[in-house]
Amino acid sequence: MSRDRSDDRLEDVLARAHGQLGIAVYDGLMGRGGPPELRDPDQVLGRLLAAAHRRTGDAVVGRLARRHGRGPVERAIEKGNAPAEGLLMRRSAPVRLKYREQALGCARRCWPLDAVQVTEIAVEAVRDLISSLEDEVLPDEMCDRLLRLSRDVGRVLALPQSAQLPSALVGYDYLDEVDDYLSTCAARLVAQARSSKQLLDSELLPYFGAPEVSWLGMLEVSQDLADDLDLAHREAMALSKAVAAVKEASTDFRGADLRSVELNGVDLEGIRWDASTNWPPEWEQRIWKASLATGAGHGELIVGAEPHDSTVPADI
């Protein structure tokens, strides 16, 4: 193995270790109420770990910058290390629970409409147009159908941009990770939808106002539009999966240790848990009373909106 390749592998390991340490330190701090004050010895330890992590990060970034002129984030992007669906579930359960309402709010903002359905309808409409053009037939209602398609695809362009939420330890804040995950998928979908709408509005629809029908020209543009809309549909599916992953990370707390979480003010409705989930002792009875079996088997429970008259059997 060459020296350069060996150095690259070492830098990758350092960057990955630095990232994992940052997540662990951040989740440990935020899961217990936020950055500590210098009083309790355990909190002092947390502050020292955070400081050590920052210094380690500075050293890693400096080393990479000297050799390659770029840091670990850029190198990760080049290698395609984008957030995967399962990574959110690996974050600390107390942090996921503490910020579940904000995370679910991010998901709702990124999914105000069913973009998968919008793009499916658009693809179907353009394929119908292609079929008609191949037969040199142009249905009377096709222009109106394409105008509705343009309007609906335009709604996709209104998906929100990144909220740029502030973080205590930049790059490791859980809500930053959620926002980056969703906004990256949304940005790709918006870009593809914009390209499709421009092609539709500027190149295909003008054919309907022309004095003579150019079958070949309309067919070529329609085929290009179908390809663009297929890509938009794939990006819509990716965003749909990202939204589902955020909801899953904000809902699934089976087997989680939540004893350190301050639950006052936290919306627990809809949370899935089981007998191996550890709640704060003062909340345990209330959680059992407010929960029902999901019917999914394996002792899975879901927290309801209101307490029940009887407690769910502990041996479920």
Side-chain angles (χ1 to χ4, degrees), residues 221-239:
V221 174
S222 298
Q223 289 170 337
D224 288 343
L225 179 58
D227 292 339
D228 281 0
L229 287 172
D230 272 331
L231 292 175
H233 179 63
R234 293 180 189 177
E235 298 298 353
M237 291 290 292
L239 178 57

Side-chain angles (χ1 to χ4, degrees), residues 28 42 46 60 90 248 298 301:
D42 291 336
V60 172
R90 298 178 191 174
E248 182 72 6
H298 308 292
L301 304 167

Side-chain angles (χ1 to χ4, degrees), residues 271-273 287-295 299-306 308 310-312 316:
I271 284 178
R272 290 185 290 122
W273 62 286
I287 296 296
W288 278 103
K289 281 192 173 184
S291 299
L292 290 172
T294 64
E300 183 177 311
L301 304 167
I302 186 168
V303 180
E306 299 292 339
H308 304 289
S310 59
T311 303
V312 177
I316 190 171

Side-chain angles (χ1 to χ4, degrees), residues 6 64 86 106-107 110 164 215 222 232-233 238 304 316:
S6 178
L64 294 175
C106 289
C110 276
Q164 296 297 324
W215 300 106
S222 298
H233 179 63
I316 190 171

